Amino acid sequence: MENKTENKKVRFNGMDVFICIVILAVAAAAMYMLIGRRGGTAGGGAENTVVTMTVELTGQEQKVADAIKVGDTVSIGEKDKAKMTVSDVEVSPAKTIGYDIETGRVLNSEVPGQVDIKVTMTAEGTETDREIKVDNVTMRVGQSAVLSAKGWAGHGYTIGLETGE
């Protein structure tokens, strides 16, 4: 019995060759993807730049507009927070679209007791071919923005994003 196990030959068939080729192909694809991700940022490296972002807060009370001051440090975001400094504040009467049922006209009507606030903020950030970041938080036009600062807070949408001096 012991002699039979010693004389047993190792067989290597076509299926074994196929499995080895598949394993090598998967390993090569994984290496290619990892190297591609690292190399992708090297070509379009991150440049330090000044990021200017404008957020519109709609339907706010006048006391919120009065609390926002140029120079305030604002935290943007709920989980990941970016710090920016208020550089400009524009306040205008809040408007809504209304429908006149008698004439069938669509009107842009003011909302009593409410204002729309455009808060422009600046900070040092980075810019690549794919994204603009401030404090490692990606900024995009149209994204929802939660703003909080000492004495005020608000929720709005990013309506402007610029980079440069």
Tab-separated table of all heavy atoms in Angstrom, residues 23-64:
chain	number	residue	atom	x	y	z
A	23	ILE	N	-6.269	32.885	-13.639
A	23	ILE	CA	-5.726	33.505	-12.421
A	23	ILE	C	-4.704	34.580	-12.788
A	23	ILE	O	-4.710	35.681	-12.226
A	23	ILE	CB	-5.124	32.437	-11.484
A	23	ILE	CG1	-6.242	31.591	-10.879
A	23	ILE	CG2	-4.288	33.084	-10.388
A	23	ILE	CD1	-5.766	30.392	-10.091
A	24	LEU	N	-3.835	34.286	-13.749
A	24	LEU	CA	-2.848	35.272	-14.182
A	24	LEU	C	-3.513	36.481	-14.836
A	24	LEU	O	-3.093	37.618	-14.619
A	24	LEU	CB	-1.848	34.634	-15.149
A	24	LEU	CG	-0.848	33.659	-14.514
A	24	LEU	CD1	-0.022	32.978	-15.592
A	24	LEU	CD2	0.042	34.398	-13.530
A	25	ALA	N	-4.572	36.267	-15.605
A	25	ALA	CA	-5.272	37.369	-16.259
A	25	ALA	C	-5.948	38.272	-15.225
A	25	ALA	O	-5.911	39.505	-15.336
A	25	ALA	CB	-6.298	36.838	-17.251
A	26	VAL	N	-6.571	37.696	-14.213
A	26	VAL	CA	-7.217	38.484	-13.160
A	26	VAL	C	-6.173	39.292	-12.394
A	26	VAL	O	-6.374	40.476	-12.098
A	26	VAL	CB	-8.033	37.569	-12.217
A	26	VAL	CG1	-8.461	38.314	-10.961
A	26	VAL	CG2	-9.235	36.995	-12.943
A	27	ALA	N	-5.042	38.683	-12.078
A	27	ALA	CA	-3.980	39.397	-11.366
A	27	ALA	C	-3.436	40.538	-12.217
A	27	ALA	O	-3.197	41.650	-11.712
A	27	ALA	CB	-2.867	38.434	-10.980
A	28	ALA	N	-3.252	40.309	-13.502
A	28	ALA	CA	-2.746	41.363	-14.394
A	28	ALA	C	-3.753	42.507	-14.513
A	28	ALA	O	-3.373	43.687	-14.501
A	28	ALA	CB	-2.440	40.778	-15.773
A	29	ALA	N	-5.038	42.193	-14.607
A	29	ALA	CA	-6.065	43.230	-14.692
A	29	ALA	C	-6.110	44.059	-13.408
A	29	ALA	O	-6.254	45.285	-13.451
A	29	ALA	CB	-7.428	42.603	-14.963
A	30	ALA	N	-5.975	43.415	-12.264
A	30	ALA	CA	-5.978	44.134	-10.986
A	30	ALA	C	-4.777	45.072	-10.900
A	30	ALA	O	-4.912	46.226	-10.469
A	30	ALA	CB	-5.973	43.146	-9.826
A	31	MET	N	-3.618	44.613	-11.312
A	31	MET	CA	-2.424	45.461	-11.284
A	31	MET	C	-2.596	46.649	-12.230
A	31	MET	O	-2.229	47.773	-11.897
A	31	MET	CB	-1.185	44.646	-11.676
A	31	MET	CG	-0.774	43.615	-10.643
A	31	MET	SD	-0.272	44.375	-9.097
A	31	MET	CE	1.284	45.054	-9.592
A	32	TYR	N	-3.147	46.406	-13.408
A	32	TYR	CA	-3.356	47.471	-14.388
A	32	TYR	C	-4.297	48.542	-13.829
A	32	TYR	O	-4.039	49.731	-13.967
A	32	TYR	CB	-3.929	46.882	-15.681
A	32	TYR	CG	-4.262	47.911	-16.717
A	32	TYR	CD1	-3.254	48.511	-17.472
A	32	TYR	CD2	-5.569	48.305	-16.935
A	32	TYR	CE1	-3.556	49.473	-18.420
A	32	TYR	CE2	-5.885	49.261	-17.877
A	32	TYR	CZ	-4.872	49.842	-18.622
A	32	TYR	OH	-5.176	50.793	-19.552
A	33	MET	N	-5.366	48.117	-13.171
A	33	MET	CA	-6.314	49.070	-12.610
A	33	MET	C	-5.701	49.869	-11.467
A	33	MET	O	-5.924	51.074	-11.351
A	33	MET	CB	-7.585	48.360	-12.159
A	33	MET	CG	-8.398	47.818	-13.330
A	33	MET	SD	-9.864	46.952	-12.798
A	33	MET	CE	-10.908	48.344	-12.408
A	34	LEU	N	-4.938	49.228	-10.602
A	34	LEU	CA	-4.306	49.934	-9.492
A	34	LEU	C	-3.278	50.937	-9.987
A	34	LEU	O	-3.219	52.062	-9.505
A	34	LEU	CB	-3.658	48.939	-8.529
A	34	LEU	CG	-4.617	48.117	-7.678
A	34	LEU	CD1	-3.854	47.083	-6.866
A	34	LEU	CD2	-5.412	49.024	-6.757
A	35	ILE	N	-2.470	50.549	-10.950
A	35	ILE	CA	-1.465	51.460	-11.488
A	35	ILE	C	-2.153	52.587	-12.253
A	35	ILE	O	-1.734	53.741	-12.184
A	35	ILE	CB	-0.463	50.692	-12.387
A	35	ILE	CG1	0.402	49.779	-11.510
A	35	ILE	CG2	0.403	51.652	-13.179
A	35	ILE	CD1	1.267	48.820	-12.291
A	36	GLY	N	-3.233	52.288	-12.952
A	36	GLY	CA	-3.972	53.302	-13.700
A	36	GLY	C	-4.575	54.356	-12.791
A	36	GLY	O	-4.583	55.536	-13.108
A	37	ARG	N	-5.062	53.968	-11.639
A	37	ARG	CA	-5.651	54.931	-10.702
A	37	ARG	C	-4.585	55.842	-10.126
A	37	ARG	O	-4.790	57.024	-9.958
A	37	ARG	CB	-6.376	54.213	-9.574
A	37	ARG	CG	-7.679	53.639	-10.018
A	37	ARG	CD	-8.472	53.118	-8.854
A	37	ARG	NE	-9.700	52.532	-9.343
A	37	ARG	CZ	-10.439	51.715	-8.657
A	37	ARG	NH1	-10.096	51.386	-7.434
A	37	ARG	NH2	-11.537	51.221	-9.168
A	38	ARG	N	-3.448	55.296	-9.772
A	38	ARG	CA	-2.376	56.126	-9.236
A	38	ARG	C	-1.812	57.040	-10.306
A	38	ARG	O	-1.522	58.184	-10.053
A	38	ARG	CB	-1.257	55.253	-8.678
A	38	ARG	CG	-1.616	54.589	-7.392
A	38	ARG	CD	-0.411	53.905	-6.804
A	38	ARG	NE	-0.852	52.948	-5.829
A	38	ARG	CZ	-0.319	51.777	-5.645
A	38	ARG	NH1	0.691	51.383	-6.399
A	38	ARG	NH2	-0.767	50.960	-4.727
A	39	GLY	N	-1.643	56.517	-11.485
A	39	GLY	CA	-1.047	57.289	-12.567
A	39	GLY	C	-1.984	58.343	-13.114
A	39	GLY	O	-1.550	59.329	-13.681
A	40	GLY	N	-3.309	58.184	-12.942
A	40	GLY	CA	-4.274	59.125	-13.483
A	40	GLY	C	-4.182	60.492	-12.836
A	40	GLY	O	-4.398	61.509	-13.472
A	41	THR	N	-3.839	60.556	-11.574
A	41	THR	CA	-3.752	61.840	-10.904
A	41	THR	C	-2.415	62.510	-11.167
A	41	THR	O	-2.297	63.712	-11.025
A	41	THR	CB	-3.951	61.683	-9.383
A	41	THR	OG1	-2.997	60.757	-8.894
A	41	THR	CG2	-5.358	61.208	-9.085
A	42	ALA	N	-1.406	61.750	-11.564
A	42	ALA	CA	-0.092	62.350	-11.790
A	42	ALA	C	-0.110	63.246	-13.019
A	42	ALA	O	0.531	64.282	-13.056
A	42	ALA	CB	0.969	61.258	-11.941
A	43	GLY	N	-0.859	62.873	-14.067
A	43	GLY	CA	-0.899	63.670	-15.279
A	43	GLY	C	-1.639	64.987	-15.056
A	43	GLY	O	-1.242	66.034	-15.540
A	44	GLY	N	-2.756	64.964	-14.338
A	44	GLY	CA	-3.532	66.174	-14.067
A	44	GLY	C	-3.431	66.485	-12.601
A	44	GLY	O	-4.428	66.466	-11.912
A	45	GLY	N	-2.244	66.751	-12.108
A	45	GLY	CA	-2.004	66.951	-10.690
A	45	GLY	C	-2.821	68.081	-10.103
A	45	GLY	O	-3.269	68.992	-10.789
A	46	ALA	N	-3.022	68.017	-8.822
A	46	ALA	CA	-3.824	69.018	-8.125
A	46	ALA	C	-3.038	70.318	-8.015
A	46	ALA	O	-1.891	70.324	-7.593
A	46	ALA	CB	-4.199	68.504	-6.747
A	47	GLU	N	-3.683	71.410	-8.415
A	47	GLU	CA	-3.092	72.731	-8.294
A	47	GLU	C	-3.761	73.470	-7.150
A	47	GLU	O	-4.978	73.438	-7.012
A	47	GLU	CB	-3.320	73.535	-9.577
A	47	GLU	CG	-2.599	73.031	-10.784
A	47	GLU	CD	-2.875	73.923	-11.991
A	47	GLU	OE1	-3.242	75.097	-11.810
A	47	GLU	OE2	-2.729	73.424	-13.106
A	48	ASN	N	-2.969	74.156	-6.336
A	48	ASN	CA	-3.539	74.994	-5.289
A	48	ASN	C	-4.111	76.244	-5.936
A	48	ASN	O	-3.486	76.847	-6.801
A	48	ASN	CB	-2.487	75.368	-4.258
A	48	ASN	CG	-2.085	74.184	-3.416
A	48	ASN	OD1	-2.835	73.229	-3.275
A	48	ASN	ND2	-0.899	74.235	-2.848
A	49	THR	N	-5.302	76.632	-5.517
A	49	THR	CA	-5.985	77.775	-6.107
A	49	THR	C	-6.964	78.363	-5.101
A	49	THR	O	-7.276	77.748	-4.083
A	49	THR	CB	-6.722	77.348	-7.398
A	49	THR	OG1	-7.258	78.510	-8.022
A	49	THR	CG2	-7.824	76.364	-7.120
A	50	VAL	N	-7.445	79.557	-5.403
A	50	VAL	CA	-8.490	80.184	-4.584
A	50	VAL	C	-9.834	79.765	-5.162
A	50	VAL	O	-10.085	79.919	-6.352
A	50	VAL	CB	-8.359	81.725	-4.599
A	50	VAL	CG1	-9.517	82.364	-3.841
A	50	VAL	CG2	-7.033	82.146	-3.999
A	51	VAL	N	-10.685	79.197	-4.320
A	51	VAL	CA	-12.007	78.732	-4.739
A	51	VAL	C	-13.048	79.731	-4.246
A	51	VAL	O	-13.070	80.086	-3.072
A	51	VAL	CB	-12.303	77.323	-4.169
A	51	VAL	CG1	-13.688	76.869	-4.560
A	51	VAL	CG2	-11.251	76.327	-4.630
A	52	THR	N	-13.896	80.178	-5.170
A	52	THR	CA	-14.994	81.087	-4.838
A	52	THR	C	-16.307	80.362	-5.123
A	52	THR	O	-16.527	79.904	-6.237
A	52	THR	CB	-14.916	82.372	-5.672
A	52	THR	OG1	-13.639	82.985	-5.448
A	52	THR	CG2	-16.023	83.341	-5.280
A	53	MET	N	-17.149	80.261	-4.107
A	53	MET	CA	-18.400	79.515	-4.229
A	53	MET	C	-19.559	80.409	-3.811
A	53	MET	O	-19.469	81.117	-2.813
A	53	MET	CB	-18.323	78.277	-3.337
A	53	MET	CG	-19.530	77.395	-3.382
A	53	MET	SD	-19.163	75.841	-2.552
A	53	MET	CE	-20.373	75.888	-1.272
A	54	THR	N	-20.656	80.357	-4.570
A	54	THR	CA	-21.859	81.114	-4.237
A	54	THR	C	-22.993	80.138	-3.960
A	54	THR	O	-23.275	79.260	-4.768
A	54	THR	CB	-22.262	82.064	-5.383
A	54	THR	OG1	-21.164	82.926	-5.658
A	54	THR	CG2	-23.472	82.888	-5.005
A	55	VAL	N	-23.616	80.298	-2.797
A	55	VAL	CA	-24.739	79.455	-2.390
A	55	VAL	C	-25.960	80.351	-2.235
A	55	VAL	O	-25.885	81.433	-1.641
A	55	VAL	CB	-24.442	78.724	-1.062
A	55	VAL	CG1	-25.656	77.946	-0.578
A	55	VAL	CG2	-23.248	77.804	-1.218
A	56	GLU	N	-27.095	79.904	-2.779
A	56	GLU	CA	-28.339	80.660	-2.650
A	56	GLU	C	-29.220	80.013	-1.590
A	56	GLU	O	-29.563	78.835	-1.683
A	56	GLU	CB	-29.083	80.716	-3.985
A	56	GLU	CG	-30.332	81.564	-3.917
A	56	GLU	CD	-31.019	81.694	-5.259
A	56	GLU	OE1	-31.070	80.697	-6.011
A	56	GLU	OE2	-31.506	82.789	-5.540
A	57	LEU	N	-29.569	80.805	-0.606
A	57	LEU	CA	-30.482	80.383	0.452
A	57	LEU	C	-31.826	81.036	0.135
A	57	LEU	O	-31.948	82.261	0.176
A	57	LEU	CB	-29.991	80.842	1.823
A	57	LEU	CG	-28.554	80.473	2.204
A	57	LEU	CD1	-28.161	81.145	3.509
A	57	LEU	CD2	-28.411	78.976	2.320
A	58	THR	N	-32.829	80.242	-0.193
A	58	THR	CA	-34.116	80.801	-0.598
A	58	THR	C	-35.124	80.731	0.540
A	58	THR	O	-35.070	79.841	1.388
A	58	THR	CB	-34.689	80.047	-1.818
A	58	THR	OG1	-34.818	78.671	-1.496
A	58	THR	CG2	-33.791	80.211	-3.025
A	59	GLY	N	-36.051	81.690	0.547
A	59	GLY	CA	-37.146	81.688	1.514
A	59	GLY	C	-36.700	81.840	2.949
A	59	GLY	O	-37.259	81.202	3.840
A	60	GLN	N	-35.728	82.698	3.211
A	60	GLN	CA	-35.224	82.911	4.572
A	60	GLN	C	-35.876	84.143	5.189
A	60	GLN	O	-36.415	85.004	4.489
A	60	GLN	CB	-33.707	83.111	4.538
A	60	GLN	CG	-32.938	81.953	3.946
A	60	GLN	CD	-32.992	80.723	4.820
A	60	GLN	OE1	-32.849	80.796	6.037
A	60	GLN	NE2	-33.203	79.578	4.199
A	61	GLU	N	-35.791	84.217	6.498
A	61	GLU	CA	-36.285	85.400	7.200
A	61	GLU	C	-35.211	86.484	7.158
A	61	GLU	O	-34.024	86.191	7.030
A	61	GLU	CB	-36.632	85.054	8.645
A	61	GLU	CG	-37.797	84.105	8.770
A	61	GLU	CD	-38.127	83.774	10.217
A	61	GLU	OE1	-37.527	84.381	11.129
A	61	GLU	OE2	-38.986	82.912	10.429
A	62	GLN	N	-35.624	87.724	7.307
A	62	GLN	CA	-34.701	88.857	7.248
A	62	GLN	C	-33.637	88.773	8.341
A	62	GLN	O	-32.503	89.179	8.137
A	62	GLN	CB	-35.469	90.180	7.341
A	62	GLN	CG	-34.607	91.423	7.202
A	62	GLN	CD	-33.920	91.540	5.858
A	62	GLN	OE1	-34.520	91.287	4.824
A	62	GLN	NE2	-32.654	91.929	5.871
A	63	LYS	N	-33.988	88.203	9.503
A	63	LYS	CA	-33.016	88.134	10.599
A	63	LYS	C	-31.831	87.236	10.239
A	63	LYS	O	-30.718	87.461	10.704
A	63	LYS	CB	-33.675	87.682	11.899
A	63	LYS	CG	-34.228	86.285	11.898
A	63	LYS	CD	-34.895	85.962	13.219
A	63	LYS	CE	-35.454	84.556	13.185
A	63	LYS	NZ	-36.092	84.190	14.440
A	64	VAL	N	-32.031	86.229	9.391
A	64	VAL	CA	-30.916	85.390	8.934
A	64	VAL	C	-29.995	86.219	8.047
A	64	VAL	O	-28.769	86.182	8.178
A	64	VAL	CB	-31.419	84.140	8.176
A	64	VAL	CG1	-30.264	83.341	7.597
A	64	VAL	CG2	-32.253	83.266	9.089
